[in-house]
Amino acid sequence: MGKMHILSALGAAVAAVTIAAGPSPGADLFPDKAVVKYAKGFTLRYFKSFKVVEVINPFSHAPDTTRYVLVPRGKPTPPEFAKATRVDIPIRTVICLSTTHISLLDFLGAIDRIVGMSDTARLVNPKVLARARAGQIVEVGRDETLNEERVLTLAPDLLMTVGFTGKDIGSHRTLMESGIAVLANSEWMENSVLGRMEWVKLVGAFLDRDGIAERKFDSLEAEYGKVKRLAASARNRPKVIGGTSRKGVWTVPGGRSYVAGLLRDAGAEFPFADDTTSGIRNLGFETVYRAGVDADFWLNAEGAKSLKDIEDEDERYRDFKAFKANRVFSNTKRMAPNGSNDYWESGVVNPHLLLSDLVKVLHPELLPDYRLYYTKALE
């Protein structure tokens, strides 16, 4: 054996011993870190041998934070975080109570970790749908009704719920006392679409895929920035309204919602932009009528399949400038056969496509070759 071969063999042997022994004491177990830049709903901190996640309840007027300490399986809980909810990482199983959560896991290549879903009849993702049909994903409830017995039987490492006003994780006390970690995902309350997408970094921390989350987020953030800069060059800022009225209540995006941020980035003016509400606002028909009857575009008219549907709903809609000019759009281009809308499922990890659709509608000359992804014009 030549000298070089002997040296190579020795090097391989040393490497094998190092790998078998694992990281040295005091080593940083998480060299691949994610950095939270936009999201306001959670924080993520790294220590050498564990991570700490704090999820903020955006619906509480008083400080309300839930703390999780993420520890590699088999390692001791750090004593200074003994009162936090301990989660062994990487999590092996998760139950999701929103289709939005599916996209966060799919983004990180972790669909196989999902063992339970609510309302499986509304799934859009073909991979998740196939697993549900094969019995690998169990339905654990529908709408807001959760079958806790099924959740206890599945015993997931994590139950991801949807954050809503007046409903916190305390309503799942029985599950938490059984050792199941419960996390309320309030991504829809973020102030920016990039902040909303950044919840993928929180999920990545639980999966121990922080680096993947960081790199993939950075790539789409760059794509979003390109479209945003393009929209900033638009010659005008058309006025828009969104949504439709149901039973006299017209739901519009709050002035500090991620949708409002999208509209600003797309170069649009919209009523209620000065409002300080995150999430949504429910207003009376007359209020939106007065503010938006002269809007140039009408977006996200979800629920209507045609202009006639809108006209039949309320004849006052015919007064709107956007209706008269046939500038009414819905986000229903990617509807599944079961009636579910992919806009609400995969849109969370496609902020660049959400923005591109808006820019294409409002400033078509800026994206001449782009084809609408989620949006379509009503006829």
Side-chain angles (χ1 to χ4, degrees):
M1 181 181 291
K3 183 183 290 183
M4 290 303 295
H5 287 152
I6 293 174
L7 290 174
S8 297
L10 285 172
V14 170
V17 169
T18 302
I19 291 170
S24 59
D28 185 354
L29 301 184
F30 314 109
D32 237 3
K33 297 177 174 58
V35 178
V36 181
K37 294 184 285 188
Y38 302 96
K40 307 296 183 187
F42 72 93
T43 62
L44 171 59
R45 288 183 288 159
Y46 292 90
F47 297 80
K48 285 188 175 180
S49 60
F50 61 91
K51 313 172 208 177
V52 173
V53 168
E54 292 181 325
V55 178
I56 300 156
N57 180 356
F59 309 102
S60 175
H61 297 297
D64 184 3
T65 301
T66 305
R67 178 178 290 171
Y68 305 83
V69 58
L70 314 186
V71 185
R73 195 164 278 103
K75 299 289 185 181
T77 301
E80 63 270 40
F81 293 100
K83 293 183 179 179
T85 297
R86 174 188 169 118
V87 179
D88 290 335
I89 56 170
I91 57 169
R92 299 165 297 190
T93 55
V94 58
I95 290 177
C96 303
L97 300 189
S98 168
T99 54
T100 303
H101 305 163
I102 292 174
S103 293
L104 299 176
L105 285 143
D106 195 15
F107 190 77
L108 298 171
I111 284 294
D112 60 338
R113 309 296 173 90
I114 303 174
V115 295
M117 279 289 310
S118 64
D119 212 347
T120 55
R122 294 183 179 179
L123 294 172
V124 175
N125 186 301
K127 290 177 286 186
V128 178
L129 195 56
R131 288 178 59 81
R133 287 172 176 165
Q136 295 169 313
I137 293 177
V138 177
E139 184 172 85
V140 296
R142 292 189 177 185
D143 299 322
E144 297 184 7
T145 303
L146 181 66
N147 186 327
E148 292 198 342
E149 287 187 11
R150 287 187 185 175
V151 176
L152 288 168
T153 300
L154 291 168
D157 291 336
L158 181 68
L159 171 67
M160 194 179 303
T161 70
V162 181
F164 279 120
T165 302
K167 189 173 183 179
D168 59 24
I169 62 173
S171 60
H172 302 298
R173 183 65 57 193
T174 302
L175 301 178
M176 292 191 291
E177 289 176 351
S178 75
I180 297 172
V182 180
L183 183 148
N185 184 331
S186 301
E187 43 75 22
W188 65 280
M189 287 292 288
E190 289 291 340
N191 303 139
S192 70
V193 71
L194 290 178
R196 181 186 181 220
M197 183 189 174
E198 218 163 27
W199 281 69
V200 78
K201 296 181 181 179
L202 177 142
V203 176
F206 282 81
L207 291 166
D208 228 5
R209 296 187 179 182
D210 312 63
I212 296 174
E214 180 73 5
R215 287 186 287 277
K216 293 187 73 172
F217 177 90
D218 284 351
S219 175
L220 294 188
E221 178 192 26
E223 291 298 315
Y224 187 90
K226 290 178 186 175
V227 183
K228 179 180 176 180
R229 288 190 292 276
L230 195 61
S233 68
R235 293 189 298 270
N236 63 336
R237 295 180 66 86
K239 183 176 180 179
V240 305
I241 57 167
T244 51
S245 173
R246 292 180 181 175
K247 298 181 179 179
V249 178
W250 197 320
T251 301
V252 301
R256 294 189 61 195
S257 66
Y258 76 87
V259 177
L262 259 176
L263 293 172
R264 291 189 187 94
D265 290 348
E269 298 287 347
F270 61 101
F272 321 114
D274 295 331
D275 168 65
T276 59
T277 307
S278 300
I280 58 175
R281 290 186 69 192
N282 292 321
L283 301 173
F285 183 98
E286 294 296 338
T287 301
V288 182
Y289 182 95
R290 288 192 297 272
V293 72
D294 63 340
D296 302 295
F297 290 88
W298 186 343
L299 307 173
N300 289 1
E302 193 169 9
K305 295 181 180 177
S306 66
L307 293 175
K308 188 175 185 307
D309 282 352
I310 291 180
E311 190 176 18
D312 290 344
E313 180 72 23
D314 193 320
E315 62 180 14
R316 290 175 293 179
Y317 285 138
R318 286 184 292 188
D319 298 340
F320 283 75
K321 177 182 175 182
F323 183 88
K324 294 176 181 175
N326 290 342
R327 290 176 175 172
V328 184
F329 295 82
S330 77
N331 53 16
T332 55
K333 187 174 181 180
R334 295 174 59 81
M335 297 295 290
N338 59 15
S340 296
N341 189 349
D342 190 37
Y343 176 87
W344 299 114
E345 186 168 311
S346 68
V348 65
V349 292
N350 287 318
H352 59 307
L353 297 179
L354 299 180
L355 183 61
S356 296
D357 271 17
L358 288 177
V359 173
K360 177 69 175 182
V361 168
L362 303 175
H363 312 288
E365 71 281 3
L366 297 179
L367 290 173
D369 299 324
Y370 177 78
R371 297 183 66 180
L372 293 172
Y373 191 77
Y374 293 110
T375 305
K376 68 177 185 180
L378 294 186
E379 299 176 344

